[in-house]
Each structure stands twice: as C-alpha cells, then as structure tokens.
Amino acid sequence: MNIILVSERLAKARTITLGLPQLLMLGIATFITLIMLAGLMNYFTLRFAADLNLPYLQDQLVSAQRHQNEKSQSYLRENLNAMAIRLGQVQAQLLRLDTLGERLAKLAGFKPQELMFDQAPGRGGAPSSIPSQDISLGDFTKQLDLLTRQVDDRGDKLGVLESLFTLDSARKKLIPTMLPVAGGWHSSNYGWRIDPFSGQRAFHEGIDFMAEQGTTIMAAAGGVVVYSDFHPQYGNMVEIDHGNGLVSRYAHASKRNVKLGDVVLRGAKIAEVGKTGRATGTHLHFEVRQRGAPQNPMQFLRLAG
C-alpha cells in the first residue's frame, strides 16, 4: 500500500509505502485502542451510574449486584451445609465417647453421674490484655477438622481401653474372688492347725466357713463343674474349673445343685451347707487349687473387713 502526502508546505509530494507487517501492527494497535476505550467507557459508566440516573444503567447495575449476591448466598449455603454435616459427625462421635466413658466408669468402679458426662466442662478466666481476634471461615474449618481428628483418635483409644477393661473384668469373673457363703465367718484358716479328729498337727488346705444347715453355697467364680459327687472325707463335694489350672472346691455340703459338666456363673447356687463327710459340725470347707497345688483362698477372696 502506498500513501501519497501532498501539502503546500512540501516542495513535492511524499510517498509512504506500507507493507504487510506495518499493516498488521497498525491493526493490532487499533484493536487494543478500541478495547481500552471500551473498558474506560464501561468503567466510567458503572462508576457514575448512580449519579447519571440512567434507567438502563441502573437496571444493569442492580442485575449485576443481584447475581453477585446469589453467588455469595450459594457459596455460604454450601459451606454451611458442609459444616452442618461435619458438626453432626462430631456430635455423633461425642455421643459415642460419652457412652464409652460411662461404660469405662462402671468398669473402673465409678458412678457415671460423678463424672458428669451430660454436662459441659466448666471454663473461665480473666480477660487477656491481648486484643481478641475474629475467627475467619478458613480458621474455623481448620479447627473443626482438627477437632474431628482428635475426637476420632480419642474414640479409638477409649475403645482399646474398654476392650482391655472388659478382658480384665472377664478374667476377674473367672477368678474365685467372691465369698461362697453370704454372711459366713471362717472358723479355721488355711495352714497348719491341730486336727480336730487326731489331735495332731496337720496342714489345713482350705478355709472353713460357719453357716447354718441348708445355707446357699455360691460359686466363687464362673467355670465348669468338673466334680459333683460324694467323697469319703469331703462328703458331698463340688469342684469348679475356672481355666488356667485354677479350681475351687466346696465340701461337706448337705445337697448338691449342679452336676458334672454344668457351666456355672459367678454367684450361682451350686450346693447347700451341711456336715457330710469328715466334719465335726455344719460348715463349708472351701479350697482353691492351682494346677493341683493348694493355694491360700485369702489371696483370692474379698473378705469383709
């Protein structure tokens, strides 16, 4: 393209030749200039729309604000719904922790009401000299995530602790720690004594409990009946195997209420007090044996006082 410039000031006409590169650069510059002018016009139009009081511009401005408000409301609803779900999960975990806490309190010998699981912990303190700060949505979400992870972790640890407590409780129920006769008092201890029949020094392998004829004899722990028969010296006798080689023996009964192979629970009635066999009077002879060797029942029983 050739452009010829003619002017009175020029002695002769000038010719400017524009090639393809120059035309391309001119087009780009023109396009950028138009874009900038359109942007400036839009900015000043929106900036002074309220002052100009033009109906069309007012409608456009209200529409834009309405669209922005809808986007903001939608964002808030989505975040609130997400936080509500997380809050419900935390509440469910806290309920689980409260239930676990009550069970652990019972296993540990506490009353659940003493630990006040249904009440919020007391909190307080004097105002700090450091100015308070508003918490942002991002900080709140981070704190909620951290709290959720901590609650899950505490729940898992309490679950393991409950399993250990339950296992320990089950083991205790299989150890003869319960008095076999309610209200009975022992008249002869475990160890060396003067035999009431021979008058000689002899080793007494159990404890004798004084009780009236027919008094209920209870299993000192749960287990399986491995002997229920009449013995020449022990009279009517019951033996219960508690596992791990631990056996409890109940002798001189007037009546046996269980038979060989029965499974009994701790505190179940297994016989009645009598004076059968080698006995000078009505009483219960109680023994604890570990792999056949006699043990002092006092190591197992929880005697009053």
Side-chain angles (χ1 to χ4, degrees), residues 191-220:
W192 291 96
R193 69 172 184 175
I194 301 299
D195 189 280
F197 291 95
S198 66
Q200 296 178 334
R201 193 166 180 264
F203 192 83
H204 189 228
E205 297 182 344
I207 294 178
D208 291 338
F209 289 92
M210 295 295 296
E212 295 181 356
Q213 181 83 12
T215 301
T216 297
I217 299 174
M218 298 172 289

Side-chain angles (χ1 to χ4, degrees), residues 58-301:
Q58 292 289 340
D59 293 341
Q60 292 295 321
L61 185 59
V62 170
S63 177
Q65 290 177 345
R66 185 184 301 113
H67 180 68
Q68 184 64 32
N69 289 336
E70 290 176 354
K71 288 179 62 177
S72 299
Q73 291 294 329
S74 176
Y75 176 76
L76 288 176
R77 280 196 301 270
E78 291 176 359
N79 281 275
L80 286 175
N81 290 336
M83 285 189 290
I85 294 173
R86 298 298 300 274
L87 183 60
Q89 293 174 348
V90 173
Q91 289 175 338
Q93 291 293 332
L94 286 177
L95 181 61
R96 177 191 171 205
L97 290 180
D98 288 343
T99 305
L100 276 175
E102 291 180 1
R103 289 203 295 264
L104 289 175
K106 291 179 181 178
L107 290 174
F110 291 100
K111 295 180 180 180
Q113 57 268 27
E114 293 178 354
L115 300 179
M116 297 182 294
F117 288 107
D118 58 340
Q119 298 182 21
R123 305 174 68 181
S128 174
S129 58
I130 302 176
S132 301
Q133 298 179 355
D134 294 332
I135 184 170
S136 65
L137 181 61
D139 292 337
F140 177 78
T141 304
K142 290 180 181 178
Q143 291 295 326
L144 187 60
D145 290 339
L146 178 62
L147 179 61
T148 303
R149 291 194 297 269
Q150 290 176 341
V151 169
D152 290 338
D153 178 67
R154 300 301 188 274
D156 293 339
K157 290 178 179 177
L158 283 178
V160 173
L161 188 60
E162 182 194 23
S163 299
L164 294 175
F165 266 118
T166 303
L167 181 60
D168 183 63
S169 177
R171 287 175 177 171
K172 287 181 179 179
K173 290 180 180 179
L174 297 177
I175 297 176
T177 57
M178 179 179 177
L179 286 172
V181 177
W185 57 279
H186 54 286
S187 59
S188 184
N189 292 323
Y190 174 89
W192 291 96
R193 69 172 184 175
I194 301 299
D195 189 280
F197 291 95
S198 66
Q200 296 178 334
R201 193 166 180 264
F203 192 83
H204 189 228
E205 297 182 344
I207 294 178
D208 291 338
F209 289 92
M210 295 295 296
E212 295 181 356
Q213 181 83 12
T215 301
T216 297
I217 299 174
M218 298 172 289
V224 180
V225 177
V226 294
Y227 188 95
S228 179
D229 207 340
F230 187 86
H231 190 278
Q233 296 181 352
Y234 287 105
N236 284 319
M237 184 179 76
V238 174
E239 284 187 347
I240 301 175
D241 188 347
H242 308 290
N244 296 322
L246 195 63
V247 176
S248 58
R249 176 178 292 177
Y250 312 80
H252 307 306
S254 61
K255 179 182 178 181
R256 290 175 281 108
N257 296 85
V258 292
K259 62 182 184 298
L260 183 66
D262 284 350
V263 177
V264 296
L265 300 177
R266 184 172 182 264
K269 181 178 180 179
I270 58 175
E272 295 179 2
V273 173
K275 56 179 180 180
T276 58
R278 190 171 181 267
T280 59
T282 303
H283 73 286
L284 167 66
H285 176 80
F286 177 72
E287 292 183 13
V288 176
R289 291 179 173 268
Q290 180 76 40
R291 296 182 177 85
Q295 305 292 321
N296 188 353
M298 291 288 290
Q299 297 175 351
F300 300 92
L301 294 176

